[in-house]
Amino acid sequence: MLAHRTGVIGLPLRLLAREVYDRIVAARGPSVVALVTGEERIVPPRAAYWVCTVEAMPQGLGTDFAAVDEIQLCADPDRGHVFTDRLLNMRGLHETLFMGSDTMRPAIRHLVPEAEFIRRERFSELTYTGPRKISRMPGRTAIVGFSVDNVYAIAELLRRQKGGAAVVMGALSPRTRNAQVAMYQNGDVDYLVATDAIGMGLNLDIRHVAFSATSKFDGRRMRPLMPHELAQIAGRAGRYTEPGTFGVTGEASALDEDVAEAICEHRFKPIERLTWRSDRLEFGTPDALIRSLEAPAPDEMLQRGREADDLAAFRTLTDFEGVRARLGHARDVRLLWDVCRIPDFQGISHGEHTNLLARIYDFLHERGRVPEDWFARQVKRIDRTQGEIDTLSKRLAYIRTWTYVAQRKGWVENDAHWREATRAVEDRLSDALHRALMARFVDRRTSVLLKRLKMKEGLVAEISKDGTVTVEGEALGRLEGFRFQQTKAATPDEAKTVRQAAEAALRPELHLRADRFYNAPDTEMDFTEQGGLMWGSDAVGRIAKGAEPLKPGVVAFVDDEAGPEVAEKVRRRLQHFVDRKLAAAFEPLVAMERDEALTGLARGFAFRLREAFGVLPRAQVSQEVRELDQEARAQLRRHGVRFGQFTVFLPALLKPAPTRLRLVLWSLWEGLEEFPEAPPPGLVTVPEAKGAPAGYYAMAGYRDAGARAIRIDMLERLADMIRQADTRGGFEASADMLSITGMTLEQFAGLMEGLGYNAERGERPKAKPAAQAQVPDQPGMPEPAAPPPGVPGDVPTETPPAPPQEAPGDVPQERPAEAPPAETPPDVPQETPVEEPPAEMRAEGAEADALAEAEGEGAVADAAAEPAETEVFYTFAWAPKRPARGNRREGGRGRPEGAERSAAKAGGGRKEGGKPRGKGGPRRDAKPAGPRAFEARPERKPARIDPDNPFAALAALKDR
């Protein structure tokens, strides 16, 4: 071509076109060389030489020279019609050259009678060597696979055994492919793993070609490779005068002797039929275009191939109502055909590809261009260099689509800018992909080690009982679980050499350890607060997020050198341990899931409990609780579900072991980076955890109540006691309340404020101990409260047998109407003074009330006779809306601002600075200094007296 003034050459691959373009630029300079492919277009103003892919060759250039490479692709069922068209119609003014296999001789002689044939013999000998294991492959070997998974698997194996390999595939960009090839050519790696893309255009220093398979998927079915296809690839070995060999490896069966002999002697069956499609297209209507594309072949040597992707997309789009309505003119049909010729680089489904084409056609038809902001969003979405190899490969395929669109003249605004922008994105992704391929498939350390070990075959590694690995008497590192941790080395090269020797000794040790670990009991394993999995003191894995909250997975910590068998065995054992741990810790939830008697709303509520790991704040499910009937609640209670006033939970799941595991699973499910730890077992209340994530307290089995959090089962017991008190008028903390919380009175006041109560601080004379013994002797006084049961540590217990009424919300709005549990003692503080009537005495008539006032006045008079010690007490009243904390009252803890007003409204009025009075009670000037009890229920209207009732007279005498 360079012997002529102008020329054009068509090549089968974009990779090859870029390689030829670079060679011509080096010889003639960039100002006279053009590169035109589907995704790349470099056309200087004075272009004289055009390097193109066959599909992108411009028509009507009128160059002196024209050439098409790999002309035997005329028989390809997918692309053959393009090569056949160039064979029939592409001509240079002075010279035309078709290069390819000798199997095309009969077809060309028939279709182009004036053609002259020149045969170039191979300079070197090609020999078949039969099957060979990958581990015994010689250096400078190319191993060929026909799927991405196969190529990656072989490259992984070569990395472990040979130090690494370069990877070449047709889907790689030219930049990535060149970087991988350079790595092979420079000797950084001795092996190349490739698809059949190396069969065209790649002239490399390859001495042996090994086929890992002899069949491939051609887009529609699996089929065996034809002899000439095998020869095309095998011929990469032994270029120019260097002899080469080829064979099979892996699962590929040995080649038939006839096939192998034909490849060695270059004897193949001539091609009898060429794929053809008419180039005389009619754009009057969609149907006319389809008919012209399906026209019969004009010659017996030509045959129509399978339906191409562009025609299939055109058929689909013309069936879209919105598209067909726009095809009113020939230029509309031509525009749609141009859009349909956008290749499906992404390899997505036919439906998704046609939807994308329809969107682009709508833009071009309605606006004349693809909107720049929409186009920019598509490119920006792809312009990310993070991710694995598959992710980067997909992004490269996506950017090729937008590169193709940007190359079309007039399709986007400022097309020159977007050509450069898409090319820059492709370059960044190409570099990132090259780095990812090197990181995954090249181990430079191992490559050097192999060379060193050939010279130092006597290196021996030993492993002690504590896992210390020594080589030549020098401690190299430790084997921790199934991972080797290297410590030190004199020089980098020596470290690599010694490590390789250590790894040779580690392989059998890792297999033995995997067997011991698989048979080890669960008692030797445990999990950490951060989800790590331990075998003794060694970390062997971690718990991973699964498809469901209670179905986590595991990740095993196993070195690559151990092999997939060891990794899988460790992973299976870890999964068994985690599954059994879950089944034991969350047995009630598992039982509920398996109970077929649970149906309807009960089963739905059980599912909610399972999702919440057995602890549900009642405020989140208040509506669902209301909808549960008594039968459904009974079914759930049989499984241990407790419907508390603040929380719905399973008491068995509040033990330390389920709580610890629940926090790990919840943290995984929520995606937390750092997992919060469980509170120490046995504590009823704990200080507030600063910066705790939302939902932490419920998962830990606690409820946040201001400065401290209280365990939810103890909170429900406290709620049962509070339910007996006058929450509106005000009440004092009983000894039982303080006992079950384990708090001082000051701490209890803070806890109650956190639960939504107003806490009013007061002082009063302290009772004399001698007088306390007389309290039970006074008429009408109740017996002192029985001592509360011991507060449990690890195992929470249920509340008294008579269950309290279930409040629908998080906090009680009013007192329940039902009677309190029989076994709950009345709230009688131990410090009640003798001179004052106890708060629990309820005046049932005017005489009793007067007697109480008289006794109170007498007590005050006696107390005034001598100075008395004072004690602090708190009165608690329910405040539905907890106000912000304001100034404390003088002398200590007070109530939040606004609490006095709400308490006065609830209690029927107060004296200034005094204690609450009962609802609607008369105002009294003299009051006892001790605690009082109040009724919150409304005052009853007096019943009408029946004059005929014989007791009416007695009632009248009572009033007198």
Side-chain angles (χ1 to χ4, degrees):
M1 182 172 70
L2 296 182
H4 294 270
R5 184 177 56 86
T6 58
V8 59
I9 182 171
L11 299 157
L13 298 175
R14 179 191 177 198
L15 301 172
L16 186 55
R18 184 75 195 196
E19 179 181 330
V20 173
Y21 169 78
D22 292 337
R23 291 176 61 186
I24 300 177
V25 166
R28 291 291 189 269
S31 62
V32 295
V33 188
L35 174 66
V36 180
T37 67
E39 307 97 89
E40 202 167 5
R41 185 180 180 88
I42 304 174
V43 183
R46 299 186 300 108
Y49 301 103
W50 296 71
V51 182
C52 318
T53 52
V54 175
E55 287 85 350
M57 293 180 73
Q59 303 294 314
L61 285 178
T63 56
D64 295 342
F65 174 87
V68 178
D69 191 19
E70 305 292 354
I71 196 62
Q72 73 275 7
L73 289 179
C74 288
D76 185 82
D78 294 316
R79 304 173 62 196
H81 65 276
V82 179
F83 284 81
T84 302
D85 178 77
R86 303 299 182 260
L87 175 66
L88 298 176
N89 302 313
M90 178 62 69
R91 297 293 183 269
L93 297 178
H94 297 161
E95 183 179 358
T96 301
L97 186 62
F98 300 112
M99 297 167 287
S101 172
D102 196 51
T103 56
M104 279 290 294
R105 184 187 292 264
I108 295 178
R109 181 179 289 119
H110 176 77
L111 296 173
V112 189
E114 68 274 16
E116 298 179 5
F117 295 90
I118 303 175
R119 181 181 175 90
R120 301 291 189 187
E121 296 292 343
R122 181 184 175 95
F123 291 152
S124 62
E125 183 180 357
L126 188 63
T127 307
Y128 175 64
T129 60
R132 184 179 294 181
K133 292 183 179 179
I134 293 179
S135 59
R136 297 189 177 183
M137 287 290 173
R140 316 313 290 170
T141 291
I143 302 177
V144 181
F146 296 99
S147 70
V148 174
D149 292 339
N150 190 23
V151 168
Y152 287 172
I154 295 172
E156 285 276 11
L157 183 60
L158 288 171
R159 176 183 181 272
R160 293 193 295 269
Q161 295 185 353
K162 303 293 185 179
V167 175
V168 173
M169 296 182 294
L172 298 181
S173 66
R175 190 182 183 94
T176 304
R177 191 233 33 190
N178 291 339
Q180 290 287 305
V181 167
M183 186 171 59
Y184 173 80
Q185 291 290 81
N186 294 338
D188 294 339
V189 292
D190 264 352
Y191 298 89
L192 179 72
V193 185
T195 61
D196 52 354
I198 68 166
M200 297 182 186
L202 286 179
N203 297 318
L204 304 176
D205 180 20
I206 299 174
R207 299 173 187 172
H208 181 78
V209 171
F211 293 92
S212 65
T214 56
S215 60
K216 72 171 186 177
F217 183 72
D218 63 358
R220 287 173 172 79
R221 61 184 177 87
M222 290 294 297
R223 65 172 182 83
L225 291 170
M226 302 299 292
H228 68 274
E229 294 175 312
L230 292 171
Q232 181 83 26
I233 301 170
R236 298 299 102 185
R239 303 299 289 173
Y240 195 49
T241 59
E242 289 291 330
T245 59
F246 69 98
V248 294
T249 188
E251 298 179 357
S253 56
L255 299 178
D256 294 339
E257 291 185 6
D258 295 341
V259 174
E261 185 178 351
I263 294 174
C264 293
E265 297 179 1
H266 319 295
R267 292 185 288 101
F268 307 107
K269 182 181 178 181
I271 295 175
E272 299 176 351
R273 293 286 187 274
L274 308 185
T275 305
W276 177 87
R277 188 172 76 177
S278 174
D279 61 331
R280 298 180 179 180
L281 306 182
E282 299 178 5
F283 295 99
T285 65
D287 294 335
L289 177 58
I290 293 175
R291 283 196 303 270
S292 64
L293 289 168
E294 294 181 340
D299 191 281
E300 61 181 9
M301 181 68 73
L302 307 177
Q303 63 178 2
R304 284 177 50 201
R306 61 179 64 154
E307 186 176 72
D309 292 340
D310 51 6
L311 178 55
F314 186 83
R315 287 182 187 275
T316 303
L317 287 177
T318 53
D319 291 337
F320 287 6
E321 183 177 353
V323 174
R324 196 170 188 88
R326 295 185 174 94
L327 301 177
H329 195 275
R331 64 174 177 272
D332 301 326
V333 178
R334 180 183 291 273
L335 176 61
L336 180 60
W337 175 246
D338 289 341
V339 171
C340 290
R341 296 180 69 184
I342 299 176
D344 185 9
F345 295 114
Q346 304 174 20
I348 54 181
S349 66
H350 177 74
E352 292 180 358
H353 181 60
T354 51
N355 287 336
L356 176 62
L357 298 181
R359 186 76 179 274
I360 295 174
Y361 177 73
D362 289 343
F363 286 141
L364 296 175
H365 188 271
E366 295 297 328
R367 309 185 185 185
R369 298 179 187 274
V370 176
E372 191 169 8
D373 57 345
W374 183 84
F375 190 84
R377 287 197 301 272
Q378 307 307 312
V379 174
K380 184 178 180 181
R381 181 171 57 90
I382 302 169
D383 189 10
R384 291 176 293 142
T385 57
Q386 300 80 17
E388 300 294 332
I389 292 175
D390 291 340
T391 302
L392 293 171
S393 298
K394 289 179 181 178
R395 290 178 189 156
L396 268 172
Y398 293 159
I399 198 62
R400 292 180 70 183
T401 299
W402 306 120
T403 303
Y404 185 95
V405 172
Q407 295 296 330
R408 300 307 303 265
K409 187 176 181 180
W411 277 22
V412 293
E413 193 74 35
N414 196 4
D415 51 4
H417 162 73
W418 286 113
R419 288 171 188 169
E420 293 297 328
T422 53
R423 173 69 182 278
V425 172
E426 180 177 327
D427 288 346
R428 286 193 290 272
L429 292 173
S430 299
D431 293 340
L433 180 57
H434 173 62
R435 291 192 296 269
L437 289 170
M438 286 191 60
R440 180 171 175 182
F441 301 128
V442 178
D443 187 350
R444 294 180 180 272
R445 176 197 62 207
T446 305
S447 179
V448 173
L449 283 171
L450 287 172
K451 297 177 182 178
R452 289 297 189 96
L453 285 175
K454 290 178 182 179
M455 299 181 292
K456 299 182 180 181
E457 297 179 356
L459 291 177
V460 178
E462 296 180 356
I463 304 173
S464 63
K465 292 183 179 180
D466 63 350
T468 302
V469 180
T470 59
V471 176
E472 297 292 319
E474 180 182 353
L476 176 62
R478 292 190 69 253
L479 184 61
E480 298 176 358
F482 298 92
R483 294 186 296 186
F484 176 70
Q485 302 294 336
Q486 187 172 349
T487 54
K488 64 177 182 177
T491 63
D493 289 343
E494 181 182 352
K496 295 175 183 179
T497 305
V498 174
R499 181 178 176 87
Q500 179 63 26
E503 289 172 356
L506 289 177
R507 291 191 189 100
E509 172 66 18
L510 289 172
H511 281 275
L512 292 174
R513 282 201 175 197
D515 292 338
R516 290 199 303 269
F517 177 70
Y518 195 85
N519 296 317
D522 285 353
T523 53
E524 295 183 9
M525 306 174 202
D526 199 4
F527 64 93
T528 66
E529 303 285 352
Q530 299 301 314
L533 294 171
M534 307 293 293
W535 181 30
S537 60
D538 295 331
V540 292
R542 61 177 175 84
I543 305 175
K545 181 178 180 181
E548 297 179 17
L550 288 179
K551 291 185 179 180
V554 297
V555 176
F557 296 161
V558 181
D559 280 342
D560 292 340
E561 291 77 13
E565 181 181 354
V566 172
E568 180 60 19
K569 183 175 289 188
V570 174
R571 190 201 65 78
R572 286 203 310 268
R573 182 63 184 90
L574 291 175
Q575 190 68 58
H576 294 163
F577 166 74
V578 171
D579 292 344
R580 285 196 286 265
K581 205 75 174 177
L582 284 170
F586 296 101
E587 192 277 333
L589 293 179
V590 176
M592 275 198 299
E593 184 183 21
R594 296 175 178 173
D595 189 358
E596 297 181 356
L598 284 178
T599 58
L601 293 176
R603 190 162 193 83
F605 197 85
F607 181 77
R608 287 293 304 273
L609 273 172
R610 178 178 172 84
E611 281 188 326
F613 306 97
V615 179
L616 268 173
R618 185 154 180 166
Q620 298 179 8
V621 290
S622 57
Q623 184 60 33
E624 290 93 324
V625 173
R626 292 191 193 99
E627 293 172 358
L628 290 174
D629 56 22
Q630 292 303 319
E631 181 180 355
R633 298 189 188 200
Q635 288 179 324
L636 293 170
R637 285 194 181 99
R638 281 196 291 272
H639 286 282
V641 178
R642 166 77 191 277
F643 292 88
Q645 179 174 312
F646 296 90
T647 314
V648 181
F649 63 100
L650 286 88
L653 300 188
L654 298 184
K655 298 179 181 179
T659 298
R660 186 163 160 257
L661 184 55
R662 177 170 56 243
L663 278 171
V664 171
L665 298 180
W666 172 75
S667 301
L668 282 170
W669 190 252
E670 294 296 324
L672 301 182
E673 294 182 1
E674 185 175 357
F675 299 177
E677 296 184 2
L683 297 182
V684 177
T685 64
V686 293
E688 179 185 13
K690 300 296 183 181
Y696 160 71
Y697 286 106
M699 292 298 102
Y702 286 76
R703 178 182 176 85
D704 186 18
R708 299 186 71 83
I710 181 170
R711 208 168 70 195
I712 57 178
D713 58 319
M714 293 293 104
L715 175 61
E716 297 301 338
R717 294 182 60 183
L718 177 62
D720 293 343
M721 296 179 180
I722 294 176
R723 197 174 291 119
Q724 322 305 324
D726 184 2
T727 57
R728 288 196 171 185
F731 66 95
E732 290 189 33
S734 67
D736 288 354
M737 296 180 186
L738 298 178
S739 177
I740 67 169
T741 58
M743 290 180 157
T744 65
L745 187 59
E746 288 282 341
Q747 292 173 333
F748 185 83
L751 177 72
M752 296 299 289
E753 286 183 332
L755 293 175
Y757 289 82
N758 282 335
E760 182 179 1
R761 186 181 188 279
E763 295 183 1
R764 64 186 172 205
K766 189 174 183 179
K768 295 182 179 180
Q772 292 179 359
Q774 303 174 4
V775 175
D777 298 331
Q778 296 182 16
M781 290 295 291
E783 293 297 325
V791 179
D794 295 347
V795 185
T797 60
E798 287 280 47
T799 51
Q805 179 165 336
E806 297 161 1
D810 191 24
V811 291
Q813 299 298 324
E814 62 185 53
R815 289 187 61 202
E818 64 188 67
E823 64 273 27
T824 304
D827 297 338
V828 183
Q830 297 179 2
E831 63 271 22
T832 306
V834 172
E835 294 84 2
E836 301 169 1
E840 288 75 6
M841 288 187 61
R842 307 195 179 277
E844 299 181 2
E847 293 178 2
D849 188 73
L851 177 59
E853 287 197 54
E855 291 175 354
E857 292 170 359
V860 172
D862 294 339
E866 60 184 42
E869 296 181 7
T870 60
E871 63 179 3
V872 177
F873 67 96
Y874 282 87
T875 305
F876 304 101
W878 173 239
K881 294 183 179 179
R882 181 184 178 188
R885 292 184 177 269
N887 297 327
R888 299 290 188 183
R889 285 179 170 269
E890 183 179 355
R893 181 187 296 270
R895 296 180 300 170
E897 293 179 1
E900 184 173 351
R901 182 168 59 256
S902 61
K905 181 179 179 181
R910 299 179 185 268
K911 288 183 180 181
E912 184 178 357
K915 292 169 52 184
R917 292 183 284 111
K919 180 177 181 181
R923 180 167 183 150
R924 299 171 182 171
D925 295 333
K927 293 173 51 183
R932 301 180 62 196
F934 304 91
E935 285 288 340
R937 64 182 78 143
E939 184 178 4
R940 293 184 178 178
K941 296 180 180 180
R944 187 175 63 85
I945 299 178
D946 186 359
D948 297 329
N949 193 324
F951 295 98
L954 293 176
L957 290 174
K958 179 180 180 181
D959 293 339
R960 294 179 186 176

